[in-house]
Amino acid sequence: MTEAELMREALRLARRGLGLTSPNPAVGAVVVKEGRIVGSGYHRKAGGPHAEVIALEEAGGQANGADLYVTLEPCSHFGRTPPCAEAIITAGIKRVFASWQDPNPRVNGQGFARLREAGLEVSVGLLGAEARELDEAYHKFITTGLPLVTLKLACSLDGKIATRKGESRWITGEKARRFAHRLRAGQEAILVGVETLLADDPQLTVRLARGRPPRRVVVDSRGRTPRTAKILSCPKARTIIATTDLSPMEKRRELAESGAEVLVLPEREGRVDLGALMRALGEREITSLLAEGGGTLAAGLLEAGLVDKAWFIFAPIIIGGEEAPSAVRGRGAESLSEALRLKRIHIRRLGDDLAIGGYLPCSPIA
């Protein structure tokens, strides 16, 4: 196997931890002796052993004189676990290949420095762009304290997310819905507005098997979430209701008794201050968030500059009608020069549907 193929295997392992390691990054590692992988591992949860340690334990004595491929700089400090750099040195690793340098100020080059100080050969940058994209939520969180926000909207060719009578199931096909669940599986929380909750009563669960279900977050400025909502009857995942002082105290108490965390935030023009919500989620160590609708919430997030990346999934249908809700509402751009143009575009064919994704120019990771 080539060096790139070995690092790609480490990246494949790292992806298995996406959405499960908060607030830590998703990291994969392989130990290679004489061109053969003798140990591998990935970080599974915060507080658990890091990828390097798992790979070294699997390799055992074969780690002596071997190479280590790891998707992120090994840590050099005591946190929830002992420093990986020392474990690598003790195991007798000869060379370390890492994709990129950890932006965490507690590491940020110190892990590499410790390895080199001990006489190890260190190479940095192999598949670095892929590794940074894999851990982009960690990168944003560790440098800003805020979650990475991905906006996902399914709509018709003319940008409608429902008919004028509110029918929205299903605009897109089965392959597109599976894609949406894969997006959910890599997130720590799913965000919807109360209008979507009232119209669809979604469970906001993930079909794919994963160790920890994402939290559900509902923006409900005036406390309209019904006690019978499905998200309140599913005990497997925690639910956060983001509201304001405009909601009745009795309603807040009712939702709390139903098992939700009721988060009372400042209001802006009668709605939850979305910037304050992102700061509150960051304080809860939520590093990634998938916003799924509807049009008012999407507009609010975009207008506040809070969206990092977006996926629009288009179905080959035309709904039409001025009363049919649009994917993005709000005031909108006054001129084309003010329109938000995505960067680093990705396009995927999902059966008859088409997904177009990219990064918002205001994002610190764009």
Side-chain angles (χ1 to χ4, degrees):
M1 298 177 72
T2 66
E3 291 178 353
E5 288 172 334
L6 291 166
M7 187 62 81
R8 196 157 278 117
E9 174 62 16
L11 285 166
R12 185 191 68 80
L13 290 166
R15 287 189 183 92
R16 298 173 66 178
L18 279 177
L20 304 174
T21 61
S22 174
N24 292 351
V27 180
V30 294
V31 178
V32 180
K33 188 73 170 284
E34 297 175 353
R36 183 172 60 89
I37 295 176
V38 295
S40 61
Y42 69 96
H43 188 38
R44 298 167 185 263
K45 65 176 182 178
H50 289 187
E52 303 95 312
V53 171
I54 296 172
L56 290 170
E57 288 180 350
E58 186 176 291
Q62 296 182 88
N64 188 36
D67 296 334
L68 174 70
Y69 290 75
V70 61
T71 58
L72 184 68
E73 176 183 7
C75 63
S76 57
H77 65 285
F78 280 89
R80 289 183 170 98
T81 59
C84 293
E86 297 304 325
I88 293 167
I89 295 167
T90 301
I93 289 291
K94 179 180 63 176
R95 297 189 301 177
V96 174
F97 295 84
S99 293
W100 66 304
Q101 183 168 305
D102 193 335
N104 187 337
R106 300 182 69 185
V107 186
N108 199 19
Q110 297 177 58
F112 293 145
R114 177 68 187 102
L115 295 174
R116 291 182 174 119
E117 180 184 275
L120 279 71
E121 182 181 334
V122 177
S123 177
V124 184
L126 183 60
L127 301 187
E130 292 181 36
R132 283 192 294 273
E133 184 171 342
L134 172 75
D135 264 329
E136 58 193 7
Y138 167 74
H139 187 192
K140 183 184 178 185
F141 176 76
I142 209 68
T143 55
T144 68
L146 301 173
L148 182 135
V149 178
T150 301
L151 175 65
K152 190 275 292 182
L153 291 165
C155 54
S156 62
L157 288 177
D158 54 335
K160 302 296 185 180
I161 58 175
T163 68
R164 59 187 173 84
K165 290 190 175 181
E167 183 182 350
S168 61
R169 293 185 177 179
W170 296 101
I171 287 179
T172 54
E174 180 60 31
K175 286 188 178 180
R177 294 197 291 276
R178 286 202 299 269
F179 174 74
H181 277 269
R182 288 197 298 274
L183 283 179
R184 284 184 181 184
Q187 307 291 320
E188 292 173 45
I190 302 170
L191 175 72
V192 297
V194 70
E195 295 292 349
T196 296
L197 185 78
L198 294 172
D200 299 336
D201 194 19
Q203 296 185 62
L204 302 181
T205 54
V206 177
R207 292 181 191 171
L208 308 177
R210 54 177 278 147
R212 182 178 64 188
R215 278 181 266 194
R216 289 82 59 89
V217 184
V218 180
V219 178
D220 182 5
S221 304
R222 298 178 182 273
R224 294 190 290 154
T225 299
R227 192 168 190 168
T228 56
K230 289 178 182 177
I231 59 168
L232 299 176
S233 61
C234 178
K236 293 182 180 180
R238 293 170 58 187
T239 297
I240 297 173
I241 306 294
T243 190
T244 69
D245 283 328
L246 298 173
S247 61
M249 182 66 73
E250 181 58 35
K251 183 63 178 184
R252 287 181 242 161
R253 187 178 300 113
E254 176 187 290
L255 292 171
E257 290 172 354
S258 299
E261 177 187 357
V262 179
L263 194 56
V264 181
L265 296 168
E267 57 94 4
R268 178 171 293 185
E269 297 180 355
R271 301 181 185 276
V272 168
D273 184 328
L274 295 174
L277 172 59
M278 296 307 144
R279 291 189 292 273
L281 296 179
E283 290 168 359
R284 286 156 177 75
E285 296 188 330
I286 293 175
T287 64
S288 59
L289 177 73
L290 180 66
E292 294 203 350
T296 300
L297 178 62
L301 290 168
L302 289 166
E303 289 171 3
L306 297 172
V307 178
D308 295 285
K309 56 193 300 188
W311 279 103
F312 281 70
I313 306 174
F314 292 95
I317 61 173
I318 299 171
I319 293 176
E322 293 182 1
E323 296 179 15
S326 298
V328 180
R329 305 179 80 171
R331 295 178 59 191
E334 291 186 2
S335 65
L336 287 178
S337 63
E338 295 178 355
L340 298 171
R341 184 175 294 274
L342 300 186
K343 299 180 177 181
R344 293 160 56 192
I345 304 299
H346 298 275
I347 300 175
R348 296 188 185 184
R349 180 76 180 264
L350 304 169
D352 290 336
D353 303 322
L354 188 68
I356 300 177
Y359 293 79
L360 275 296
C362 61
S363 171
I365 62 164

